[in-house]
Amino acid sequence: VCGGCAGSDVPLKVYTCEYDKDTNSLKHSPLVDEIRITNSICWSLDGSKMYLADSMKKQIDQYDYNLQTGELRNGEILHKKEHGDPDGSVVDAQGYIWNATWRHGKGPGMVDRIDPKTGKVVFSVHLPDETSQASCCCFGGPNFDILFITTALENLEPTNEPHAGGLYAVKLPPGMSGCPEKRFRIE
């Protein structure tokens, strides 16, 4: 599944990408017909739910995902951001969604842990300085209990956010951990 970013005036689509052995290329089929900035594509642990953010709408949607056909159904808003925009996400070993919040120079960025059943934030990691553009997160370390957070320096004054564009590593509390990411390979 892939999407794109064209800004606020050009609607895009979200596509499935499947390898076609006959043409030795990827075949694209639309899944979501209109989106402005695609972010946060990730799945529940069992693969039955797909999470997807349109950053322009400031929300993360969830869909029922058919593992056999790749079809989406029953799209609904799972979480609406109050401050900033949803950016990259990952799902942890307990099934919670971790979402980086892009704040456009308006306060420190953060990563929220979101309950997939209620859409409520149950835990937040705030960046320790003024870096406002948290862009994505992933888990690492031998026990997947370190949250790595990437940040950006886009349209900002570097003297105001000297660590923007950097990578942060945060040791998570006991009981919170990630899992290895699934891999995509063309054979």
Side-chain angles (χ1 to χ4, degrees):
V1 176
C2 64
C5 172
S8 60
D9 297 328
V10 181
L12 298 171
K13 296 178 188 282
V14 174
Y15 297 90
T16 59
C17 303
E18 296 182 70
Y19 179 66
D20 185 336
K21 288 183 181 180
D22 297 332
T23 63
N24 194 30
S25 64
L26 289 177
K27 179 179 79 172
H28 297 79
S29 305
L31 273 179
V32 177
D33 285 330
E34 189 171 313
I35 194 163
R36 302 287 184 194
I37 299 178
T38 307
N39 266 311
S40 295
I41 300 173
C42 57
W43 279 262
S44 60
L45 293 176
D46 66 1
S48 67
K49 296 277 185 192
M50 185 180 92
Y51 307 110
L52 169 69
D54 185 340
S55 294
M56 294 298 294
K57 291 182 180 177
K58 298 182 178 294
Q59 69 191 38
I60 299 172
D61 297 329
Q62 72 176 359
Y63 297 85
D64 292 331
Y65 184 78
N66 185 310
L67 289 164
Q68 279 68 45
T69 65
E71 290 180 78
L72 296 181
R73 294 197 177 180
N74 305 321
E76 63 183 357
I77 298 170
L78 173 66
H79 176 74
K80 191 92 169 152
K81 288 284 180 188
E82 292 181 28
H83 304 286
D85 302 335
D87 211 341
S89 290
V90 66
V91 173
D92 69 18
Q94 296 76 38
Y96 288 80
I97 304 153
W98 291 76
N99 175 254
T101 303
W102 183 283
R103 297 205 54 205
H104 304 278
K106 298 176 182 155
M110 67 191 77
V111 175
D112 291 326
R113 187 181 197 224
I114 300 166
D115 185 323
K117 293 181 178 95
T118 65
K120 295 188 185 312
V121 173
V122 296
F123 186 81
S124 293
V125 173
H126 296 268
L127 296 180
D129 54 23
E130 292 303 311
T131 302
S132 66
Q133 296 174 340
S135 55
C136 202
C137 53
C138 68
F139 300 102
N143 299 314
F144 295 99
D145 58 353
I146 299 172
L147 181 69
F148 290 95
I149 305 166
T150 59
T151 65
L153 177 60
E154 186 175 299
N155 301 317
L156 296 172
E157 177 56 46
T159 56
N160 293 339
E161 297 189 22
H163 301 293
L167 176 67
Y168 293 79
V170 178
K171 176 80 167 160
L172 295 174
M176 294 184 190
S177 63
C179 47
E181 285 291 314
K182 294 175 178 56
R183 301 287 184 213
F184 171 80
R185 182 170 57 181
I186 298 175
E187 299 198 22

